[in-house]
């Protein structure tokens, strides 16, 4: 359901929730934002709960740094302690660390919600069609989107060629030395690919004139209802936290 929405209103809503998660220093608010983002992914997008839980791991590790810093070096976090003392959650350094921990997870989950439910190509087309993104930047981003999977295929071809030359089957997961040896040939491939893309774009004349964008996302009634519901939910949550 969320993947069918227009990318730009969804981006504005997600940025509003991220900003609120940063400004509202209350553990209950961050915890509710995490639950809402996780529920949206599981219920509306039918993502596996295990996948959603795995998404929280890198953000939790990032937030764990805030937690340990607040607990071990609490004398240097006077501002966080003062903000925490104004909440009913507590006044100790641990409370401030918990809020910072949940803030990192909440911001990460809202960002993941946008990334997992948005087509990158449609997002770039929407930026060009609605927010007047320069065609030079837009088509450069398109070229980068196509380059990333090609780099993986090129790396696999290089590994297979080396394995055939050495007479040994390639390892399932490349080791550190093999990974380091792939950097230079992949960099050379990326430079050649970028040069050809730049020449192609220059030949097609990416000036500021009128341009037709095929299959650009269009705004619908569902986008308006999504914005209204998300903003009203955020406002009600902020009021309830007071």
């Amino acid at each position: 359901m969320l993947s069918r929405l227009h990318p730009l209103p969804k981006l504005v809503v997600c940025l509003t929730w991220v900003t609120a998660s940063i400004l509202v220093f209350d553990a209950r608010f961050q915890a509710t934002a995490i639950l809402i983002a996780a529920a949206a992914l599981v219920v509306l997008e039918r993502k596996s709960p295990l996948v959603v839980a795995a998404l929280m791991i890198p953000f939790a590790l990032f937030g764990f740094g805030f937690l340990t810093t607040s607990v071990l070096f609490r004398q240097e976090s006077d501002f966080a302690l003062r903000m925490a003392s104004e909440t009913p959650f507590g006044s100790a350094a641990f409370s401030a660390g918990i809020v910072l921990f949940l803030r990192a997870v909440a911001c990460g989950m809202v960002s993941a919600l946008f990334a997992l439910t948005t087509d990158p190509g449609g997002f770039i087309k929407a930026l060009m069609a609605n927010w007047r993104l320069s065609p030079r930047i837009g088509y450069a981003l398109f070229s980068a989107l196509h380059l990333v999977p090609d780099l993986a295929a090129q790396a696999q071809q290089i590994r297979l060629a080396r394995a055939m030359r050495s007479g040994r089957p390639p390892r399932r997961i490349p080791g550190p030395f093999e990974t380091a040896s792939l950097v230079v040939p992949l960099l050379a491939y990326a430079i050649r690919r970028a040069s050809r893309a730049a020449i192609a774009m220059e030949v097609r004349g990416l000036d500021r004139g009128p341009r037709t964008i095929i299959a650009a996302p269009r705004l619908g009634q569902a986008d308006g209802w999504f914005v209204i519901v998300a903003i009203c939910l955020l406002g009600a949550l902020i009021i309830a936290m007071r």
Side-chain angles (χ1 to χ4, degrees), residues 213-234:
I213 302 174
I214 300 176
R218 295 183 178 181
L219 291 169
Q221 291 185 352
D223 301 302
W225 283 112
F226 169 72
V227 173
I228 292 173
V229 171
I231 297 301
C232 290
L233 182 61
L234 177 61

Side-chain angles (χ1 to χ4, degrees), residues 123-143 201 205-211 213:
F123 179 54
I124 297 173
K125 289 179 181 178
L127 288 175
M128 295 172 62
N130 300 108
W131 286 2
R132 297 183 179 182
L133 177 69
S134 171
R136 297 184 179 184
I137 299 176
Y139 284 101
L141 293 174
F142 274 126
S143 181
M201 286 190 290
L206 295 177
D207 54 11
R208 296 183 178 179
R211 185 172 300 278
I213 302 174

Side-chain angles (χ1 to χ4, degrees), residues 2 24 43 54 72 76 89 121 143 146 149 154 156-157 170 222 242:
L2 295 177
V24 178
V43 177
L72 299 178
E76 285 77 13
F89 191 75
S143 181
H146 290 290
Q154 185 70 17
Q156 186 64 19
Q157 290 183 6
R242 291 183 176 178

